[in-house]
């Protein structure tokens, strides 16, 4: 296996101004499935930071009172304690839209103020396109005296309410507002990656490029004045980065990103960057056996097209998708707007792959829907990615995103041969949870056809149990066949402008828009 067959080359990334290496080798990457798993490990790592160690983080939403473990500490207290022990703490937090629109402006500001009070520094960053967001979610911890302990956490989990759920999926006791169908403690499925090795330094470059952007964090004069009084407007220089951490494993890592095409231009991406979109197109052109996808949204026909083309090209290719049953926004317009693009995307996939395409959602053992927030894709059990990006046009062109793609040097010894350990183990771990399958029985899922059939059987049994009035013991598994959205013609007409302009913008330069490329 040649790395350049699966990863983007420097030229294929399409951004010559970035300081990122095309990829790094010698890494160890571990998937952290569930927010509770991630938060517990993050707490342990934060508590080990001391004088002159470095803590960098970027977040879409941060709730200062969210507890990392049931007995604490809170996010704010954990970050502040590191700063008080002498660690250098720097944060980039999206300023967010108004709380009136169910975003997180106040929470993000309060988190930043808490870090400032402890001696750290946090910027409320709006250096995006109008209506866009900084959606990257990562944490970097570097140790001044022992680089072998350096770690970067990259993925889809914010440092905020609702994320601290576990395999039982009973929800985070500290929940954020969600549609009533998810209950008072919405069950939440999510994934983060823990990276050790040279790639930690590459994640650090992602932070440094954004931190050193000379553009003002906001152009709103009132916000700038408020930031000045709260000391949220200064960006002291970061310490000179040390050498990359030593090799820690046998994983090659490529960091993939989205940055929009901005009028002033990012110094590190003058025309934006769409390496996430480009990586998907390259990898899907090689897909032969299985595409396994967990995604929060799955919409935009342009984004779905490379998946559909792969299904049309390869008659033996199967695609399994796990999405949430219900949107994260309710209401007469918001809900339909969230479903319009998915309906079009699913129709295109089914037209391309027919019964080789299967779409599922999840519920816990109490029958409450599980909100799928994970952004994971595995192709042919070789290439795998964990990140902040969803499969939609916003994540591929407009918001800032960061994803970690992994290739394992080691071939998995189980048949069918040709798979790599990391990608296959990630797929089997996620599938086994959704099937309630014991660890000793996961090997039967190695074969893509067997895995596809196992999902179909489990979902059918659970669906029949529900239709039968839930008589008798509940069948094992958490999979439900994902139903097609039911929208009235009036809802579609009324919600379409919201979908087109608020939900799914397009940040590609005009030439790329005209050509339909990325």
């Amino acid at each position: 296996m040649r790395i350049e067959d699966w990863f983007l080359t420097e030229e294929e990334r399409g951004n010559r101004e970035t300081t990122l290496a095309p990829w790094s080798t010698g890494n160890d990457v571990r998937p952290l499935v569930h927010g509770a798993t991630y938060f517990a490990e993050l707490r342990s790592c934060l508590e080990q930071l001391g004088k002159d160690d470095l803590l960098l983080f970027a977040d879409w939403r941060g709730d200062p009172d969210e507890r990392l473990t049931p007995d604490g500490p809170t996010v704010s207290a954990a970050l502040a304690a590191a700063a008080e022990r002498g660690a250098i703490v720097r944060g980039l937090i999206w300023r967010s839209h108004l709380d009136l629109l169910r975003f997180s402006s106040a929470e993000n500001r309060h988190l930043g103020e808490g870090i400032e009070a402890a001696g750290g520094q946090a910027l409320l960053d709006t250096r995006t396109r109008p209506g866009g967001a900084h959606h990257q979610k990562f944490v970097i911890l570097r140790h001044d005296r022992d680089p072998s302990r350096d770690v970067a956490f990259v993925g889809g989990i914010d440092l905020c309410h609702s994320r601290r759920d576990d395999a039982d999926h009973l929800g985070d006791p500290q929940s954020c507002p969600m549609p009533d169908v998810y209950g008072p403690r919405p069950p939440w499925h999510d994934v983060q990656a823990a990276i050790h090795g040279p790639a930690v330094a590459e994640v650090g470059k992602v932070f440094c490029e954004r931190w050193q952007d000379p553009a003002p964090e906001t152009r709103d004069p009132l916000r700038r004045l408020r930031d000045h009084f709260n000391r949220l407007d200064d960006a002291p220089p970061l310490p000179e980065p040390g050498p990359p951490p030593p090799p820690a494993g046998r994983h090659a890592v490529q960091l993939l990103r989205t940055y929009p095409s901005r009028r002033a231009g990012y110094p590190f991406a003058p025309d934006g960057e769409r390496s996430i979109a480009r990586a998907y197109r390259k990898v899907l052109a090689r897909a032969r056996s299985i595409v396994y996808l967990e995604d929060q949204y799955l919409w935009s026909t342009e984004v779905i097209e490379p998946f559909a083309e792969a299904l049309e090209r390869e008659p033996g290719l199967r695609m399994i998708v796990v999405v949430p049953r219900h949107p994260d926004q309710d209401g007469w317009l918001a809900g339909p707007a969230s479903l319009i693009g998915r309906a079009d995307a699913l129709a295109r996939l089914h037209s391309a792959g027919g019964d080789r395409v299967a779409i599922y959602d999840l519920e816990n053992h109490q029958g409450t829907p599980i909100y799928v927030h994970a952004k994971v894709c595995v192709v042919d059990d070789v290439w795998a990615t964990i990140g902040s990006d969803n499969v939609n046009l916003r994540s591929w062109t407009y918001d800032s995103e960061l994803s970690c793609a992994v290739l394992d040097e080691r071939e998995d010894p189980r048949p069918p041969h040709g798979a790599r350990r990391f990608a296959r183990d990630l797929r089997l771990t996620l599938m086994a949870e959704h099937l309630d399958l014991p660890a000793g029985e996961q090997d039967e899922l190695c074969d893509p056809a067997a895995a596809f059939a196992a999902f179909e059987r489990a979902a059918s049994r659970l669906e029949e149990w529900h239709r039968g009035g839930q008589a008798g013991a509940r069948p094992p598994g958490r999979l439900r066949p994902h139903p097609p959205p039911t929208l009235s013609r009036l809802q579609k007409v009324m919600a379409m402008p919201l979908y087109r302009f608020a939900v799914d913008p397009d940040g590609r330069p005009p030439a790329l828009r005209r050509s339909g490329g990325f």
Side-chain angles (χ1 to χ4, degrees):
M1 183 189 71
R2 299 193 315 161
I3 292 178
E4 57 268 30
D5 288 341
W6 291 88
F7 279 173
L8 297 176
T9 64
E10 183 176 10
E11 183 178 357
E12 288 171 332
R13 181 182 288 270
N15 177 14
R16 293 189 176 276
E17 300 303 320
T18 181
T19 58
L20 290 183
W23 57 74
S24 63
T25 58
N27 302 289
D28 178 72
V29 184
R30 289 181 297 110
L32 303 178
V33 183
H34 313 305
T37 304
Y38 167 42
F39 282 0
E41 183 156 336
L42 178 61
R43 172 188 174 173
S44 176
C45 292
L46 289 173
E47 289 176 345
Q48 297 175 45
L49 287 180
K51 183 174 174 55
D52 296 328
D53 291 339
L54 183 63
L55 165 60
L56 309 174
F57 74 95
D59 210 3
W60 176 79
R61 172 174 176 145
D63 286 314
D65 63 334
E66 171 68 13
R67 293 187 293 274
L68 293 178
T69 56
D71 59 345
T74 64
V75 168
S76 181
L79 298 177
E84 290 165 354
R85 291 193 300 272
I88 301 168
V89 179
R90 301 287 183 265
L92 287 165
I93 311 170
W94 181 47
R95 184 182 295 271
S96 185
H97 304 315
L98 296 176
D99 289 323
L100 181 65
L101 302 176
R102 292 181 64 174
F103 285 96
S104 47
S105 175
E107 291 82 359
N108 290 0
R109 172 171 289 280
H110 293 158
L111 177 59
E113 291 169 350
I115 293 169
E116 292 278 344
Q121 181 67 42
L123 299 181
L124 298 177
D125 192 356
T126 55
R127 291 171 291 192
T128 61
R129 294 262 300 207
H134 280 303
H135 199 239
Q136 297 174 342
K137 307 117 186 289
F138 63 88
V139 179
I140 306 158
L141 297 93
R142 302 207 62 180
H143 300 80
D144 184 56
R145 296 166 185 82
D146 187 4
S148 67
R149 295 163 55 204
D150 291 357
V151 60
F153 299 99
V154 174
I157 303 180
D158 301 280
L159 302 176
C160 71
H161 294 164
S162 278
R163 274 50 170 185
R164 186 167 54 85
D165 200 359
D166 57 26
D168 291 332
H169 287 305
L170 299 178
D172 186 339
Q174 297 173 272
S175 61
C176 61
M178 291 284 284
D180 292 342
V181 69
Y182 288 105
R185 287 174 53 169
W188 199 277
H189 175 65
D190 224 330
V191 184
Q192 197 85 350
I195 306 170
H196 290 83
V200 174
E202 297 302 309
V203 183
K205 292 178 184 178
V206 175
F207 183 93
C208 292
E209 286 183 344
R210 277 185 57 189
W211 184 267
Q212 294 166 355
D213 184 349
E217 292 80 47
T218 176
R219 298 186 183 277
D220 185 319
L222 294 179
R223 285 180 168 178
R224 295 181 71 172
L225 184 63
R226 183 179 181 183
D227 286 355
H228 178 73
F229 282 116
N230 290 325
R231 297 185 300 168
L232 289 171
D233 61 344
D234 57 324
L238 295 171
E240 285 295 319
R250 300 178 65 180
H251 297 153
V253 169
Q254 180 165 66
L255 297 181
L256 304 169
R257 304 183 299 183
T258 297
Y259 287 111
S261 174
R262 202 177 64 173
R263 177 178 296 178
Y266 294 101
F268 51 87
D271 297 318
E273 181 174 318
R274 287 158 292 280
S275 54
I276 289 173
R278 293 179 177 213
Y280 269 102
R281 294 189 71 89
K282 179 169 183 171
V283 169
L284 290 169
R286 299 183 58 88
R288 299 293 183 270
S289 60
I290 188 167
V291 175
Y292 179 78
L293 178 68
E294 294 188 354
D295 196 74
Q296 181 184 6
Y297 291 125
L298 189 71
W299 54 38
S300 306
T301 50
E302 285 182 88
V303 170
I304 287 298
E305 195 57 29
F307 294 89
E309 290 172 357
L311 289 163
E312 290 173 334
R313 183 190 70 246
E314 295 294 332
L317 180 64
R318 293 172 174 84
M319 183 172 181
I320 299 174
V321 183
V322 180
V323 292
R325 173 162 289 212
H326 305 282
D328 56 351
Q329 298 280 335
D330 51 17
W332 199 79
L333 279 183
S338 299
L339 295 175
I340 287 172
R342 180 178 293 175
D344 291 344
L346 296 185
R348 176 69 180 106
L349 289 176
H350 282 299
S351 71
D355 59 6
R356 294 180 288 117
V357 176
I359 318 293
Y360 301 99
D361 50 64
L362 303 174
E363 68 177 27
N364 65 16
H365 293 151
Q366 286 68 44
T368 306
I370 298 171
Y371 190 69
V372 178
H373 191 260
K375 301 96 168 54
V376 173
C377 186
V378 178
V379 177
D380 285 357
D381 286 352
V382 173
W383 180 91
T385 180
I386 299 171
S388 68
D389 54 293
N390 294 295
V391 178
N392 64 2
L393 203 55
R394 174 178 282 277
S395 281
W396 283 23
T397 67
Y398 208 80
D399 291 341
S400 73
E401 305 282 5
L402 178 65
S403 186
C404 164
V406 180
L407 291 174
D408 199 324
E409 294 177 6
R410 302 163 300 173
E411 185 172 352
D412 190 280
R414 296 165 292 187
H417 299 294
R420 300 286 155 167
R421 286 189 183 180
F422 180 88
R424 177 171 279 175
D425 285 346
L426 175 59
R427 177 174 69 83
L428 266 56
T429 297
L430 295 169
M431 283 187 157
E433 177 183 312
H434 303 332
L435 291 167
D436 286 333
L437 199 63
E441 300 179 20
Q442 292 185 13
D443 286 1
E444 67 184 60
L445 302 176
C446 288
D447 179 60
F452 193 90
F455 261 45
E456 186 176 33
R457 286 194 304 270
S460 296
R461 285 195 298 262
L462 189 54
E463 193 71 7
E464 290 172 6
W465 181 74
H466 277 288
R467 288 177 178 172
Q470 303 180 358
R474 186 184 191 277
R478 313 175 192 200
L479 294 160
R480 300 287 302 274
H482 188 67
T486 55
L487 301 174
S488 70
R489 184 177 183 85
L490 180 59
Q491 281 179 312
K492 291 179 181 179
V493 171
M494 295 293 291
M496 184 58 75
L498 180 61
Y499 167 69
R500 291 297 184 198
F501 299 110
V503 176
D504 222 5
D506 186 346
R508 290 173 295 173
L512 283 180
R513 287 200 296 271
R514 287 193 296 270
S515 66
F518 291 97

